[in-house]
Amino acid sequence: MAAQTFNVALHAVGGVQCVIVNVDPASVSTPEMQRRTLGYMTPRFAGKQVVLMYMDMTRRPVFLGPAHLVGAIQGKGYSEFRWQKAVLQ
């Protein structure tokens, strides 16, 4: 499998380190795709909780993942996070 590059942001929520991964809306378009995408990302960020994020049609971030983490970051704007590139195999 070829390497893929994602924008990611590390964010602490209540003492839990999570990684927010910016994904394409198609990769989370159905519950099955959400499960697969989360299943792909989780082992690649060992020791961190993974939250998936995509931009909706109004250019607002939509967060998917563990409810307690999503609830804590819901409503934040894209520019409120420190994004960096991550290359995943």
Side-chain angles (χ1 to χ4, degrees):
M1 179 180 223
Q4 294 180 300
T5 303
F6 293 89
N7 285 326
V8 300
L10 297 176
H11 189 73
V13 176
V16 174
Q17 186 74 354
C18 71
V19 61
I20 302 165
V21 183
N22 187 350
V23 297
D24 183 272
S27 64
V28 292
S29 60
T30 67
E32 174 65 15
M33 289 301 294
Q34 290 174 26
R35 186 187 65 73
R36 287 182 182 194
T37 303
L38 199 55
Y40 173 81
M41 296 295 177
T42 299
R44 286 161 175 79
F45 295 100
K48 295 178 179 60
Q49 294 283 317
V50 176
V51 174
L52 304 175
M53 188 277 306
Y54 71 94
M55 300 296 276
D56 70 9
M57 293 181 69
T58 64
R59 304 298 300 155
R60 291 181 185 232
V62 176
F63 301 97
L64 303 164
H68 66 288
L69 298 175
V70 169
I73 59 178
Q74 197 67 40
K76 291 190 180 288
Y78 184 86
S79 62
E80 294 182 56
F81 299 100
R82 235 179 122 172
W83 297 99
Q84 56 191 335
K85 300 281 185 201
V87 178
L88 303 178
Q89 296 291 338

